Amino acid sequence: MDQQLNWKEKLGAKIPAELGREIDIFEQQMELRKAGKIDEKVFAETRLRRGIYGQRYDNGQRHDGKRVQRLPFNADLVKGPDTFWDAPGMVRIKIPFGGVTPEQFETLADLSEEYSDGVTHVTTRQDFQFHYVHIDDTPALMRRLAAVGITTQEACGNVVRNVTACPLAGICHEETFDTTPYAKATAKFLMGHPDTQDFGRKVKIAFSGCEQNPCGLVTMHDMGAIAKTRVVDGKKVRGFAFYVGGGLGSVPYKAKLFDEFLPEEELLPTMQAISRVFARLGEKRNRARARIKFLIAQLGVAEFKKLVAEERQKLADDPRWTDFLKSVNDPTEEALKAGISLNGHQRPEGFDAWYKTNVYKQRQAGYVAATVSLPLGDASSDQLRALADIARRFVKDTLRTTVEQNILFRWVSEADLPEFYLAIKAIGLGAADAATIVDVTSCPGTDTCKLGIASSRGLARELRQRLGEKSLQLDEAVKNLRIKVSGCFNSCGQHHIADIGFYGISRNIKGFAVPHFQVVLGGKFHDNAGEYGVPIGAVPSKRIPEAVSTITEFYMRQRQKDERFQDFIARIGKKAVKDLLEDLTKIPTHDVDRSFYSDWGDPREFTLADMGVGECAGEVVSQAEFTLAASERELFEAQLLLDAGHSQHAVKAAYASMVRAAQGLVKDQNPMISENDEQIIAEFTQRFYDTQLFWDKYAGGKFAEYLFKAKEFVGAGKTADADRAVQLLQEAQLFIDAAHDCHNKVRGGIASAPAIAPTLQPGA
Amino acid sequence: MELQKLNVKFFVEQPDKIALTDFIDVFHSWIQATDGVYHDVADYSHMQAGPGVVLVANSANVSIDESGARRGLLFSQKAPLTGSNQEKIRAVLGAALDNCRMLEAEPALKGKLRFAANEALLSVNDRLVGENSQQSFDALKGDVEAVARQLFGGANVSVERNADSHRQLNVHMRSSAAMDTAQALRNLTVHSPIGGALT
Ligand code: SF4
């Protein structure tokens, strides 16, 4: 039996060293947090950067419809401000460009069963999410993901989030070229990059293979790249129309054109330079205005471009900028079977309707991409395993998640489609509704999100069911509309770019809170999220299905020949639609019909009492604080080495931890400080020792001298016996404690740092 | 093998009598009737053969589960169990049956819900404790048989495994004699150390 092993031992070398090291670090940080050695705010951002998110009720309170119940979590241990350690949480799993394999499906299925509630959820940004996960399970969960090549690193927090791309990249008829290798290289290059660690908010990046189609949704991203080619000296070269400063959120911004043709070799350095400018000048305190879009709005695109160009000039060459270009023309995927057309093959019942909505003919003859619609983006562990089996029967590792919360099977031989359809139908995933009004997209809303106001998933479930029942009777124009629902104005459900969008709000009616949705009409999913919808008015949640019928019937009656929904809404005007919905805004009083006073799928009396503080924005933690936390962890590692009898290694590690703490202090004044210990200590001495900023009221400069002594000891190559090692580790702890005190003093304004010009290190 | 994270499922007789979504209200009423025991209700009624409706707590989840296209009450133990393996299995079976009994007696369901207590599916929800192999099954079988004989009152007992290696280690126990949940609970006679937390 294996039971004496843990997952780290069991998986061993299957975990890539780099990812394994990252997970070890996180596990140590968990231990330090438990020991009270990492501040809760720093730990919160630390876990967010590993995709470990909070979840509704993790503040230990839940309104049961009658009263607030206290959930009995251990009150002595928190994993962030007002967030109990034992409270179930969410884990977000990054899937760059949505590329997944059957083996990964199987692992996700196992993990969802063992650590979550048996459901793997596809998000609106091609990630996966688990809910109800205990934080103590996360290192094992991460290791098992790492063993199949997946990381949760930087899935949340103020960093570069999952890099998304068209799920049809590489097989699409209209694309200029396959953006997959570029999305992949971007994700790899920017993850953990020193220049992307000090943002005030998250950064989202998307790639699109063409301008006109929606898959990439480029213009709603902080950075977006649309594939382009140009002829230079008679040769066709690749590049991108490059956009910056888009974003949804409460106030949606369309991205601005940064460069109409950014050559492919300039893609990564430009993103790096933008990251530097954003880290340097972006808002850090007011998170509501901290996305790149606000910085660009403040500076103007021209000034922003100028700053980026200046920053670009300063960057030292990095081979990673172009190494990947050598293989961008290599095929990234292959088919399992020969591409044979469907002609003459028998079609099972329901197949034709499904084919019409869920199948895309690839540009490679005989092959199709088939969408498996996941209701609300959810797949059970049984379904995921079955999908892995189906994938192995029909394709290779050519699966992708989509921003519409579905799974795309690419490279299916068209002749196999009837068999494929029967296989997915048998597991309840044969719905003929992809990219139709039935395939409603939704964020988690009040089901699990701390910021949720109304039940977006409850509404989406209800709409799916009602629209699904009459889908065959729906006119084609209505069937092609898209509905997207967010639980609040933060728009994770992407309601701004839906034909018919909703976001959750609350209204008070005669002293009772009533769940409502704001109706947002006329957004454009097409043209890379080409238009944002306009808010029309608030409708009680329980009246929304009627509102959808009213709007779509009105559209059918009043529509001019072939008029698109967006044009229709623009023509008839906001007021006409508002008038149309007026009757629906009225509801019976509480004593007549209580059902309006609770939300979809939730019988509790509606309340906002369960809303917490969201973690979408992450915690703004300075680089100094992160570096100080890292020094604690390094000292912890030194202790482990000492315990294992490796005194010499322990001393070196302890010295490194002191240098790290010194670097943390210096970082506040010189973010570009190098990794070289001589330079760090020189700057520390100049800025903190000579100025006496680091001095203790009673001990004077003693703690700093521990660092100088340790440097001398290690530099001289002296051998440490166990006693000397113990002593040096104790001194390291005192130095790190003093560094924290010093940081608090400076940050708290008790002492101010003298103005010393930063020393830019070569290549920094 | 030291068992932990055990799941037990008892199957519903005549599942069509009650809509899956009816259990949402029932579970919310259970939350209101207790204090801080449960965290949440998760609604997966939109999924085919999925986890159904889940009542989430720290020590264990209780769900009306539809996996395998068979509706049943799934009790998923999360908090560590103590005792011998047989005691652990008995404890989880007892807790699951307690919850079945509570649901059968639930006024909102108007007596329409009955569980067949002569069949239960036990699984080990931790692949580190045991993979779904013949070797693990052999290691577990004796303990399960002993408890199953007790559960089913000494009636003819069969235990078998779904051998799909991707699944959790599982044992399907059955008796040919029909039995209700009250009888099964009496047979077990051992009080679950965790049942109290969820009933
Ligand atoms: S839109 Fe609001 S409710 Fe939905 S996930 Fe985002 S923050 Fe939460």
Side-chain angles (χ1 to χ4, degrees):
Chain A
M1 285 303 116
D2 291 338
Q3 66 202 69
Q4 71 283 8
L5 296 178
N6 56 38
W7 281 108
K8 185 176 173 179
E9 290 156 348
K10 183 164 174 155
L11 294 169
K14 285 188 190 156
I15 303 173
E18 211 173 306
L19 295 183
R21 169 86 186 131
E22 247 303 303
I23 300 164
D24 290 346
I25 288 173
F26 180 57
E27 202 167 30
Q28 284 166 4
Q29 281 165 326
M30 284 173 62
E31 289 309 313
L32 290 169
R33 175 66 210 131
K34 283 179 180 171
K37 291 191 167 188
I38 297 187
D39 171 72
E40 61 190 47
K41 202 174 91 173
V42 177
F43 183 75
E45 178 65 9
T46 298
R47 68 174 160 76
L48 285 167
R49 290 187 183 196
R50 269 89 176 182
I52 313 302
Y53 220 83
Q55 192 177 309
R56 208 167 176 88
Y57 315 125
D58 63 11
N59 59 357
Q61 291 185 25
R62 183 181 186 278
H63 198 277
D64 70 9
K66 290 183 176 165
R67 68 192 203 284
V68 173
Q69 291 196 16
R70 305 253 165 233
L71 304 176
F73 303 129
N74 171 10
D76 294 332
L77 185 58
V78 293
K79 52 189 171 186
D82 217 13
T83 310
F84 290 108
W85 189 268
D86 286 327
M90 183 265 270
V91 176
R92 183 174 295 148
I93 298 160
K94 237 177 167 179
I95 305 292
F97 61 88
V100 269
T101 67
E103 187 194 21
Q104 291 171 340
F105 270 2
E106 283 165 350
T107 298
L108 289 163
D110 291 355
L111 300 182
S112 76
E113 259 169 14
E114 290 180 43
Y115 305 123
S116 174
D117 57 0
V119 172
T120 303
H121 176 74
V122 179
T123 75
T124 52
R125 294 205 72 255
Q126 297 181 301
D127 298 293
F128 288 111
Q129 272 177 201
F130 293 144
H131 295 99
Y132 303 104
V133 179
H134 195 291
I135 189 168
D136 284 341
D137 288 330
T138 56
L141 185 152
M142 290 186 216
R143 288 193 175 101
R144 293 169 76 179
L145 287 173
V148 291
I150 299 180
T151 180
T152 62
Q153 200 185 334
E154 300 190 351
C156 306
N158 298 326
V159 283
V160 176
R161 301 288 186 86
N162 196 35
V163 176
T164 58
C166 319
L168 293 176
I171 56 174
C172 175
H173 289 269
E174 287 160 75
E175 73 183 3
T176 311
F177 55 82
D178 182 0
T179 56
T180 307
Y182 300 88
K184 201 173 179 175
T186 301
K188 196 167 172 215
F189 177 67
L190 294 179
M191 190 176 78
H193 194 290
D195 290 335
T196 63
Q197 303 304 302
D198 200 17
F199 296 158
R201 282 295 310 264
K202 60 192 167 188
V203 168
K204 294 179 176 175
I205 298 177
F207 283 83
S208 177
C210 73
E211 205 124 22
Q212 64 278 22
N213 276 325
C215 327
L217 304 176
V218 155
T219 59
M220 54 174 245
H221 283 78
D222 298 277
M223 295 188 228
I226 298 176
K228 291 261 162 158
T229 54
R230 188 177 262 186
V231 177
V232 177
D233 298 333
K235 209 177 137 210
K236 194 150 103 177
V237 295
R238 285 179 173 190
F240 295 90
F242 195 75
Y243 290 82
V244 286
L248 295 182
S250 50
V251 186
Y253 279 57
K254 268 189 82 171
K256 308 270 185 305
L257 186 63
F258 179 90
D259 195 332
E260 62 186 37
F261 189 82
L262 184 68
E264 58 180 357
E265 63 277 9
E266 278 302 306
L267 180 70
L268 298 185
T270 301
M271 287 177 170
Q272 187 181 345
I274 288 174
S275 298
R276 282 184 167 208
V277 171
F278 179 49
R280 185 155 46 90
L281 300 178
E283 172 64 45
K284 296 263 169 54
R285 288 205 186 95
N286 177 4
R287 50 172 85 178
R289 297 193 63 79
R291 296 280 295 269
I292 290 186
K293 61 188 179 185
F294 296 108
L295 179 64
I296 291 171
Q298 180 200 330
L299 296 173
V301 185
E303 175 65 12
F304 182 74
K305 278 179 76 167
K306 187 175 135 250
L307 291 168
V308 171
E310 283 167 12
E311 204 64 54
R312 169 68 188 91
Q313 288 310 310
K314 289 183 207 158
L315 296 177
D317 271 356
D318 186 333
R320 293 174 297 172
W321 292 343
T322 49
D323 276 356
F324 76 100
L325 294 174
K326 291 171 201 135
S327 54
V328 290
N329 286 314
D330 296 352
T332 51
E333 292 179 336
E334 52 183 24
L336 181 69
K337 305 211 190 159
I340 300 170
S341 78
L342 186 60
N343 291 343
H345 284 77
Q346 219 168 17
R347 293 156 185 249
E349 198 191 329
F351 176 83
D352 287 337
W354 174 80
Y355 184 96
K356 202 167 160 197
T357 51
N358 290 48
V359 175
Y360 175 85
K361 274 191 181 239
Q362 296 186 193
R363 70 166 185 267
Q364 296 86 357
Y367 290 105
V368 295
T371 299
V372 175
S373 302
L374 301 179
L376 309 191
D378 292 342
S380 71
S381 46
D382 286 344
Q383 284 171 330
L384 269 190
R385 281 191 205 102
L387 287 175
D389 289 343
I390 293 167
R392 291 197 178 101
R393 255 175 84 190
F394 297 104
V395 295
K396 288 195 170 170
D397 290 348
T398 51
L399 311 168
R400 297 215 184 172
T401 54
T402 75
V403 296
E404 297 200 274
Q405 303 179 298
N406 295 322
I407 306 280
L408 189 73
F409 280 62
R410 299 148 55 101
W411 295 96
V412 182
S413 174
E414 198 185 18
D416 281 342
L417 271 184
E419 286 292 310
F420 179 90
Y421 171 67
L422 289 174
I424 59 166
K425 194 176 169 193
I427 54 168
L429 297 176
D433 61 14
T436 71
I437 194 168
V438 183
D439 192 16
V440 180
T441 312
S442 163
C443 78
T446 49
D447 276 16
T448 49
C449 175
K450 287 160 73 149
L451 291 177
I453 293 175
S455 176
S456 44
R457 275 169 62 88
L459 175 61
R461 188 182 293 116
E462 187 67 25
L463 290 175
R464 268 190 77 88
Q465 192 185 328
R466 294 195 191 195
L467 292 163
E469 280 162 9
K470 56 180 184 183
S471 107
L472 291 177
Q473 291 92 55
L474 290 175
D475 185 277
E476 207 59 16
V478 170
K479 206 169 171 176
N480 289 335
L481 299 178
R482 278 175 166 92
I483 297 181
K484 293 179 186 290
V485 192
S486 299
C488 76
F489 52 78
N490 281 312
S491 66
C492 305
Q494 303 176 342
H495 59 262
H496 293 295
I497 57 162
D499 298 287
I500 304 174
F502 302 104
Y503 70 89
I505 50 175
S506 169
R507 289 279 186 269
N508 191 296
I509 296 182
K510 297 202 170 88
F512 290 94
V514 180
H516 278 62
F517 279 92
Q518 178 68 243
V519 180
V520 179
L521 296 182
K524 216 173 185 183
F525 190 65
H526 291 274
D527 299 340
N528 271 304
E531 297 287 341
Y532 295 148
V534 285
I536 301 293
V539 172
S541 182
K542 293 290 173 80
R543 292 266 201 238
I544 292 290
E546 288 167 80
V548 171
S549 300
T550 305
I551 293 163
T552 52
E553 282 161 19
F554 185 56
Y555 173 49
M556 286 320 300
R557 278 198 314 273
Q558 304 282 325
R559 173 180 184 235
Q560 292 174 350
K561 192 176 177 297
D562 292 338
E563 188 177 30
R564 286 175 69 151
F565 189 73
Q566 289 77 18
D567 302 330
F568 169 74
I569 294 295
R571 178 172 62 80
I572 60 162
K574 193 171 160 176
K575 182 167 182 317
V577 191
K578 197 173 169 61
D579 291 348
L580 189 71
L581 299 178
E582 186 57 33
D583 282 351
L584 296 177
T585 61
K586 300 182 182 76
I587 59 167
T589 54
H590 188 265
D591 53 333
V592 172
D593 189 346
R594 282 195 56 243
S595 68
F596 286 92
Y597 298 80
S598 62
D599 216 331
W600 291 108
D602 189 340
R604 289 177 291 172
E605 182 104 11
F606 181 73
T607 172
L608 295 182
D610 290 329
M611 279 178 73
V613 179
E615 294 188 328
C616 297
E619 294 288 347
V620 179
V621 175
S622 72
Q623 279 303 293
E625 287 169 283
F626 266 127
T627 312
L628 286 170
S631 72
E632 292 276 10
R633 183 186 45 72
E634 288 179 12
L635 183 59
F636 182 76
E637 283 182 357
Q639 189 62 51
L640 295 180
L641 287 166
L642 186 64
D643 293 348
H646 306 304
S647 304
Q648 198 63 19
H649 291 312
V651 161
K652 282 190 182 155
Y655 168 64
S657 75
M658 295 165 97
V659 174
R660 181 76 62 214
Q663 186 192 36
L665 290 178
V666 174
K667 260 189 187 168
D668 250 357
Q669 297 176 25
N670 175 14
M672 299 301 181
I673 180 69
S674 79
E675 292 292 321
N676 178 288
D677 64 337
E678 299 271 355
Q679 285 170 350
I680 290 168
I681 293 173
E683 285 217 29
F684 167 78
T685 307
Q686 184 193 10
R687 293 168 189 277
F688 290 92
Y689 184 75
D690 294 347
T691 58
Q692 301 196 355
L693 259 185
F694 192 79
W695 286 39
D696 182 85
K697 205 161 143 195
Y698 303 106
K702 185 167 107 183
F703 301 130
E705 280 145 23
Y706 290 153
L707 170 68
F708 306 146
K709 258 175 26 189
K711 177 176 180 284
E712 201 183 304
F713 187 85
V714 172
K718 292 185 189 163
T719 309
D721 59 15
D723 288 346
R724 176 67 187 115
V726 168
Q727 189 193 9
L728 203 141
L729 261 68
Q730 284 168 350
E731 290 172 356
Q733 185 64 66
L734 289 167
F735 177 80
I736 291 169
D737 290 344
H740 278 288
D741 287 346
C742 176
H743 178 67
N744 293 340
K745 225 165 40 181
V746 173
R747 276 280 157 132
I750 301 166
S752 56
I756 297 172
T759 326
L760 272 178
Q761 302 306 328
Chain B
M1 181 184 299
E2 205 218 302
L3 293 178
Q4 287 300 344
K5 293 185 77 176
L6 294 176
N7 285 1
V8 166
K9 182 169 176 180
F10 282 99
F11 297 95
V12 170
E13 292 175 352
Q14 299 184 294
D16 298 341
K17 281 188 160 183
I18 304 172
L20 182 58
T21 45
D22 287 355
F23 292 96
I24 298 172
D25 290 13
V26 171
F27 285 159
H28 276 283
S29 74
W30 285 19
I31 295 179
Q32 286 178 342
T34 51
D35 197 5
V37 175
Y38 308 103
H39 297 174
D40 207 1
V41 178
D43 174 5
Y44 295 115
S45 59
H46 52 279
M47 298 172 72
Q48 182 173 304
V53 178
V54 188
L55 178 60
V56 182
N58 242 17
S59 60
N61 289 354
V62 174
S63 54
I64 294 300
D65 173 83
E66 306 227 294
S67 61
R70 283 189 73 189
R71 182 179 292 182
L73 181 137
L74 178 69
F75 183 87
S76 309
Q77 176 67 23
K78 295 192 276 189
L81 290 160
T82 54
S84 68
N85 281 347
Q86 288 193 27
E87 283 166 341
K88 289 173 185 173
I89 297 168
R90 260 196 297 273
V92 177
L93 282 167
L97 283 167
D98 280 340
N99 283 281
C100 290
R101 295 283 299 147
M102 276 178 65
L103 274 180
E104 286 174 337
E106 180 57 52
L109 301 178
K110 300 180 184 135
K112 290 188 279 186
L113 182 71
R114 285 282 162 263
F115 289 92
N118 61 342
E119 182 185 4
L121 180 64
L122 175 84
S123 30
V124 181
N125 193 20
D126 186 340
R127 287 165 176 83
L128 205 55
V129 171
E131 288 173 348
N132 191 19
S133 63
Q134 186 61 42
Q135 190 195 7
S136 305
F137 179 65
D138 291 342
L140 184 62
K141 195 174 167 204
D143 286 331
V144 177
E145 273 174 343
V147 181
R149 271 195 296 276
Q150 187 184 356
L151 174 72
F152 299 138
N156 275 348
V157 168
S158 72
V159 294
E160 59 191 41
R161 173 176 82 101
N162 177 332
D164 178 348
S165 64
H166 289 300
R167 291 189 170 278
Q168 302 149 322
L169 172 60
N170 63 86
V171 188
H172 205 137
M173 44 185 127
R174 289 189 183 87
S175 150
S176 50
M179 187 181 308
D180 64 17
T181 48
Q183 182 60 50
L185 258 180
R186 276 196 297 277
N187 292 344
L188 269 185
T189 64
V190 172
H191 292 291
S192 133
I194 51 165
L198 280 160
T199 56

